[in-house]
mmCIF file with all atom_site columns, all heavy atoms in Angstrom:
data_model
loop_
_atom_site.group_PDB
_atom_site.id
_atom_site.type_symbol
_atom_site.label_atom_id
_atom_site.label_alt_id
_atom_site.label_comp_id
_atom_site.label_asym_id
_atom_site.label_entity_id
_atom_site.label_seq_id
_atom_site.pdbx_PDB_ins_code
_atom_site.Cartn_x
_atom_site.Cartn_y
_atom_site.Cartn_z
_atom_site.occupancy
_atom_site.B_iso_or_equiv
_atom_site.pdbx_formal_charge
_atom_site.auth_seq_id
_atom_site.auth_comp_id
_atom_site.auth_asym_id
_atom_site.auth_atom_id
_atom_site.pdbx_PDB_model_num
ATOM 1   N N   . SER Z 1 348 ? 7.154   113.928 -17.819 1.00 0.00 ? 580 SER Z N   1
ATOM 2   C CA  . SER Z 1 348 ? 5.786   114.143 -18.299 1.00 0.00 ? 580 SER Z CA  1
ATOM 3   C C   . SER Z 1 348 ? 4.816   113.807 -17.172 1.00 0.00 ? 580 SER Z C   1
ATOM 4   O O   . SER Z 1 348 ? 4.346   112.670 -17.056 1.00 0.00 ? 580 SER Z O   1
ATOM 5   C CB  . SER Z 1 348 ? 5.508   113.276 -19.538 1.00 0.00 ? 580 SER Z CB  1
ATOM 6   O OG  . SER Z 1 348 ? 4.192   113.478 -20.014 1.00 0.00 ? 580 SER Z OG  1
ATOM 7   N N   . VAL Z 1 349 ? 4.541   114.787 -16.339 1.00 0.00 ? 581 VAL Z N   1
ATOM 8   C CA  . VAL Z 1 349 ? 3.644   114.587 -15.202 1.00 0.00 ? 581 VAL Z CA  1
ATOM 9   C C   . VAL Z 1 349 ? 2.199   114.626 -15.688 1.00 0.00 ? 581 VAL Z C   1
ATOM 10  O O   . VAL Z 1 349 ? 1.790   115.596 -16.336 1.00 0.00 ? 581 VAL Z O   1
ATOM 11  C CB  . VAL Z 1 349 ? 3.857   115.680 -14.136 1.00 0.00 ? 581 VAL Z CB  1
ATOM 12  C CG1 . VAL Z 1 349 ? 3.003   115.406 -12.900 1.00 0.00 ? 581 VAL Z CG1 1
ATOM 13  C CG2 . VAL Z 1 349 ? 5.328   115.783 -13.759 1.00 0.00 ? 581 VAL Z CG2 1
ATOM 14  N N   . PRO Z 1 350 ? 1.398   113.588 -15.423 1.00 0.00 ? 582 PRO Z N   1
ATOM 15  C CA  . PRO Z 1 350 ? -0.017  113.637 -15.822 1.00 0.00 ? 582 PRO Z CA  1
ATOM 16  C C   . PRO Z 1 350 ? -0.728  114.804 -15.136 1.00 0.00 ? 582 PRO Z C   1
ATOM 17  O O   . PRO Z 1 350 ? -0.704  114.925 -13.910 1.00 0.00 ? 582 PRO Z O   1
ATOM 18  C CB  . PRO Z 1 350 ? -0.570  112.296 -15.345 1.00 0.00 ? 582 PRO Z CB  1
ATOM 19  C CG  . PRO Z 1 350 ? 0.619   111.398 -15.226 1.00 0.00 ? 582 PRO Z CG  1
ATOM 20  C CD  . PRO Z 1 350 ? 1.748   112.296 -14.821 1.00 0.00 ? 582 PRO Z CD  1
ATOM 21  N N   . LEU Z 1 351 ? -1.354  115.648 -15.930 1.00 0.00 ? 583 LEU Z N   1
ATOM 22  C CA  . LEU Z 1 351 ? -2.074  116.803 -15.388 1.00 0.00 ? 583 LEU Z CA  1
ATOM 23  C C   . LEU Z 1 351 ? -3.577  116.568 -15.352 1.00 0.00 ? 583 LEU Z C   1
ATOM 24  O O   . LEU Z 1 351 ? -4.268  117.035 -14.446 1.00 0.00 ? 583 LEU Z O   1
ATOM 25  C CB  . LEU Z 1 351 ? -1.745  118.051 -16.212 1.00 0.00 ? 583 LEU Z CB  1
ATOM 26  C CG  . LEU Z 1 351 ? -0.261  118.439 -16.277 1.00 0.00 ? 583 LEU Z CG  1
ATOM 27  C CD1 . LEU Z 1 351 ? -0.076  119.670 -17.149 1.00 0.00 ? 583 LEU Z CD1 1
ATOM 28  C CD2 . LEU Z 1 351 ? 0.298   118.682 -14.876 1.00 0.00 ? 583 LEU Z CD2 1
ATOM 29  N N   . ASN Z 1 352 ? -4.093  115.855 -16.340 1.00 0.00 ? 584 ASN Z N   1
ATOM 30  C CA  . ASN Z 1 352 ? -5.520  115.557 -16.415 1.00 0.00 ? 584 ASN Z CA  1
ATOM 31  C C   . ASN Z 1 352 ? -5.751  114.141 -15.901 1.00 0.00 ? 584 ASN Z C   1
ATOM 32  O O   . ASN Z 1 352 ? -5.628  113.166 -16.634 1.00 0.00 ? 584 ASN Z O   1
ATOM 33  C CB  . ASN Z 1 352 ? -6.027  115.706 -17.864 1.00 0.00 ? 584 ASN Z CB  1
ATOM 34  C CG  . ASN Z 1 352 ? -7.502  115.394 -17.978 1.00 0.00 ? 584 ASN Z CG  1
ATOM 35  O OD1 . ASN Z 1 352 ? -8.258  115.570 -17.032 1.00 0.00 ? 584 ASN Z OD1 1
ATOM 36  N ND2 . ASN Z 1 352 ? -7.912  114.907 -19.149 1.00 0.00 ? 584 ASN Z ND2 1
ATOM 37  N N   . VAL Z 1 353 ? -6.076  114.006 -14.636 1.00 0.00 ? 585 VAL Z N   1
ATOM 38  C CA  . VAL Z 1 353 ? -6.233  112.691 -14.005 1.00 0.00 ? 585 VAL Z CA  1
ATOM 39  C C   . VAL Z 1 353 ? -7.586  112.096 -14.368 1.00 0.00 ? 585 VAL Z C   1
ATOM 40  O O   . VAL Z 1 353 ? -8.624  112.741 -14.213 1.00 0.00 ? 585 VAL Z O   1
ATOM 41  C CB  . VAL Z 1 353 ? -6.090  112.801 -12.473 1.00 0.00 ? 585 VAL Z CB  1
ATOM 42  C CG1 . VAL Z 1 353 ? -6.372  111.461 -11.802 1.00 0.00 ? 585 VAL Z CG1 1
ATOM 43  C CG2 . VAL Z 1 353 ? -4.700  113.303 -12.109 1.00 0.00 ? 585 VAL Z CG2 1
ATOM 44  N N   . THR Z 1 354 ? -7.565  110.842 -14.846 1.00 0.00 ? 586 THR Z N   1
ATOM 45  C CA  . THR Z 1 354 ? -8.812  110.157 -15.204 1.00 0.00 ? 586 THR Z CA  1
ATOM 46  C C   . THR Z 1 354 ? -9.209  109.081 -14.203 1.00 0.00 ? 586 THR Z C   1
ATOM 47  O O   . THR Z 1 354 ? -10.335 108.601 -14.235 1.00 0.00 ? 586 THR Z O   1
ATOM 48  C CB  . THR Z 1 354 ? -8.701  109.527 -16.606 1.00 0.00 ? 586 THR Z CB  1
ATOM 49  O OG1 . THR Z 1 354 ? -7.621  108.579 -16.617 1.00 0.00 ? 586 THR Z OG1 1
ATOM 50  C CG2 . THR Z 1 354 ? -8.449  110.595 -17.661 1.00 0.00 ? 586 THR Z CG2 1
ATOM 51  N N   . LYS Z 1 355 ? -8.274  108.682 -13.309 1.00 0.00 ? 587 LYS Z N   1
ATOM 52  C CA  . LYS Z 1 355 ? -8.588  107.663 -12.308 1.00 0.00 ? 587 LYS Z CA  1
ATOM 53  C C   . LYS Z 1 355 ? -7.956  108.065 -10.980 1.00 0.00 ? 587 LYS Z C   1
ATOM 54  O O   . LYS Z 1 355 ? -6.737  108.100 -10.840 1.00 0.00 ? 587 LYS Z O   1
ATOM 55  C CB  . LYS Z 1 355 ? -8.049  106.294 -12.746 1.00 0.00 ? 587 LYS Z CB  1
ATOM 56  C CG  . LYS Z 1 355 ? -8.439  105.149 -11.831 1.00 0.00 ? 587 LYS Z CG  1
ATOM 57  C CD  . LYS Z 1 355 ? -9.941  104.913 -11.851 1.00 0.00 ? 587 LYS Z CD  1
ATOM 58  C CE  . LYS Z 1 355 ? -10.331 103.716 -11.033 1.00 0.00 ? 587 LYS Z CE  1
ATOM 59  N NZ  . LYS Z 1 355 ? -11.806 103.506 -11.035 1.00 0.00 ? 587 LYS Z NZ  1
ATOM 60  N N   . ARG Z 1 356 ? -8.816  108.381 -9.990  1.00 0.00 ? 588 ARG Z N   1
ATOM 61  C CA  . ARG Z 1 356 ? -8.336  108.779 -8.675  1.00 0.00 ? 588 ARG Z CA  1
ATOM 62  C C   . ARG Z 1 356 ? -8.636  107.674 -7.664  1.00 0.00 ? 588 ARG Z C   1
ATOM 63  O O   . ARG Z 1 356 ? -9.729  107.116 -7.650  1.00 0.00 ? 588 ARG Z O   1
ATOM 64  C CB  . ARG Z 1 356 ? -8.995  110.079 -8.217  1.00 0.00 ? 588 ARG Z CB  1
ATOM 65  C CG  . ARG Z 1 356 ? -8.669  111.271 -9.099  1.00 0.00 ? 588 ARG Z CG  1
ATOM 66  C CD  . ARG Z 1 356 ? -9.296  112.545 -8.567  1.00 0.00 ? 588 ARG Z CD  1
ATOM 67  N NE  . ARG Z 1 356 ? -9.152  113.632 -9.523  1.00 0.00 ? 588 ARG Z NE  1
ATOM 68  C CZ  . ARG Z 1 356 ? -8.092  114.429 -9.605  1.00 0.00 ? 588 ARG Z CZ  1
ATOM 69  N NH1 . ARG Z 1 356 ? -7.082  114.252 -8.748  1.00 0.00 ? 588 ARG Z NH1 1
ATOM 70  N NH2 . ARG Z 1 356 ? -8.038  115.383 -10.507 1.00 0.00 ? 588 ARG Z NH2 1
ATOM 71  N N   . MET Z 1 357 ? -7.641  107.384 -6.820  1.00 0.00 ? 589 MET Z N   1
ATOM 72  C CA  . MET Z 1 357 ? -7.808  106.373 -5.781  1.00 0.00 ? 589 MET Z CA  1
ATOM 73  C C   . MET Z 1 357 ? -7.224  106.876 -4.471  1.00 0.00 ? 589 MET Z C   1
ATOM 74  O O   . MET Z 1 357 ? -6.295  107.690 -4.468  1.00 0.00 ? 589 MET Z O   1
ATOM 75  C CB  . MET Z 1 357 ? -7.137  105.064 -6.201  1.00 0.00 ? 589 MET Z CB  1
ATOM 76  C CG  . MET Z 1 357 ? -7.849  104.349 -7.350  1.00 0.00 ? 589 MET Z CG  1
ATOM 77  S SD  . MET Z 1 357 ? -6.939  102.922 -7.988  1.00 0.00 ? 589 MET Z SD  1
ATOM 78  C CE  . MET Z 1 357 ? -5.729  103.722 -9.033  1.00 0.00 ? 589 MET Z CE  1
ATOM 79  N N   . PHE Z 1 358 ? -7.776  106.392 -3.393  1.00 0.00 ? 590 PHE Z N   1
ATOM 80  C CA  . PHE Z 1 358 ? -7.349  106.756 -2.044  1.00 0.00 ? 590 PHE Z CA  1
ATOM 81  C C   . PHE Z 1 358 ? -7.116  105.458 -1.293  1.00 0.00 ? 590 PHE Z C   1
ATOM 82  O O   . PHE Z 1 358 ? -8.055  104.698 -1.031  1.00 0.00 ? 590 PHE Z O   1
ATOM 83  C CB  . PHE Z 1 358 ? -8.439  107.598 -1.364  1.00 0.00 ? 590 PHE Z CB  1
ATOM 84  C CG  . PHE Z 1 358 ? -8.048  108.165 -0.020  1.00 0.00 ? 590 PHE Z CG  1
ATOM 85  C CD1 . PHE Z 1 358 ? -7.538  109.444 0.075   1.00 0.00 ? 590 PHE Z CD1 1
ATOM 86  C CD2 . PHE Z 1 358 ? -8.214  107.430 1.143   1.00 0.00 ? 590 PHE Z CD2 1
ATOM 87  C CE1 . PHE Z 1 358 ? -7.193  109.985 1.318   1.00 0.00 ? 590 PHE Z CE1 1
ATOM 88  C CE2 . PHE Z 1 358 ? -7.868  107.942 2.385   1.00 0.00 ? 590 PHE Z CE2 1
ATOM 89  C CZ  . PHE Z 1 358 ? -7.360  109.226 2.478   1.00 0.00 ? 590 PHE Z CZ  1
ATOM 90  N N   . PHE Z 1 359 ? -5.843  105.152 -0.982  1.00 0.00 ? 591 PHE Z N   1
ATOM 91  C CA  . PHE Z 1 359 ? -5.472  103.879 -0.380  1.00 0.00 ? 591 PHE Z CA  1
ATOM 92  C C   . PHE Z 1 359 ? -5.004  104.096 1.064   1.00 0.00 ? 591 PHE Z C   1
ATOM 93  O O   . PHE Z 1 359 ? -4.003  104.779 1.296   1.00 0.00 ? 591 PHE Z O   1
ATOM 94  C CB  . PHE Z 1 359 ? -4.332  103.211 -1.151  1.00 0.00 ? 591 PHE Z CB  1
ATOM 95  C CG  . PHE Z 1 359 ? -4.723  102.621 -2.477  1.00 0.00 ? 591 PHE Z CG  1
ATOM 96  C CD1 . PHE Z 1 359 ? -3.760  102.042 -3.296  1.00 0.00 ? 591 PHE Z CD1 1
ATOM 97  C CD2 . PHE Z 1 359 ? -6.036  102.629 -2.935  1.00 0.00 ? 591 PHE Z CD2 1
ATOM 98  C CE1 . PHE Z 1 359 ? -4.097  101.486 -4.521  1.00 0.00 ? 591 PHE Z CE1 1
ATOM 99  C CE2 . PHE Z 1 359 ? -6.389  102.076 -4.154  1.00 0.00 ? 591 PHE Z CE2 1
ATOM 100 C CZ  . PHE Z 1 359 ? -5.415  101.500 -4.959  1.00 0.00 ? 591 PHE Z CZ  1
ATOM 101 N N   . THR Z 1 360 ? -5.718  103.509 2.019   1.00 0.00 ? 592 THR Z N   1
ATOM 102 C CA  . THR Z 1 360 ? -5.247  103.526 3.402   1.00 0.00 ? 592 THR Z CA  1
ATOM 103 C C   . THR Z 1 360 ? -4.292  102.364 3.633   1.00 0.00 ? 592 THR Z C   1
ATOM 104 O O   . THR Z 1 360 ? -4.501  101.257 3.139   1.00 0.00 ? 592 THR Z O   1
ATOM 105 C CB  . THR Z 1 360 ? -6.414  103.425 4.390   1.00 0.00 ? 592 THR Z CB  1
ATOM 106 O OG1 . THR Z 1 360 ? -7.234  102.307 4.053   1.00 0.00 ? 592 THR Z OG1 1
ATOM 107 C CG2 . THR Z 1 360 ? -7.243  104.700 4.376   1.00 0.00 ? 592 THR Z CG2 1
ATOM 108 N N   . LEU Z 1 361 ? -3.235  102.627 4.398   1.00 0.00 ? 593 LEU Z N   1
ATOM 109 C CA  . LEU Z 1 361 ? -2.201  101.634 4.714   1.00 0.00 ? 593 LEU Z CA  1
ATOM 110 C C   . LEU Z 1 361 ? -2.225  101.413 6.215   1.00 0.00 ? 593 LEU Z C   1
ATOM 111 O O   . LEU Z 1 361 ? -1.941  102.333 6.989   1.00 0.00 ? 593 LEU Z O   1
ATOM 112 C CB  . LEU Z 1 361 ? -0.827  102.132 4.276   1.00 0.00 ? 593 LEU Z CB  1
ATOM 113 C CG  . LEU Z 1 361 ? -0.730  102.661 2.831   1.00 0.00 ? 593 LEU Z CG  1
ATOM 114 C CD1 . LEU Z 1 361 ? 0.647   103.276 2.573   1.00 0.00 ? 593 LEU Z CD1 1
ATOM 115 C CD2 . LEU Z 1 361 ? -1.019  101.562 1.828   1.00 0.00 ? 593 LEU Z CD2 1
#
Side-chain angles (χ1 to χ4, degrees):
S580 180
V581 185
L583 301 179
N584 180 28
V585 175
T586 60
K587 185 65 176 179
R588 297 182 189 274
M589 290 172 280
F590 187 95
F591 287 177
T592 52
L593 310 173

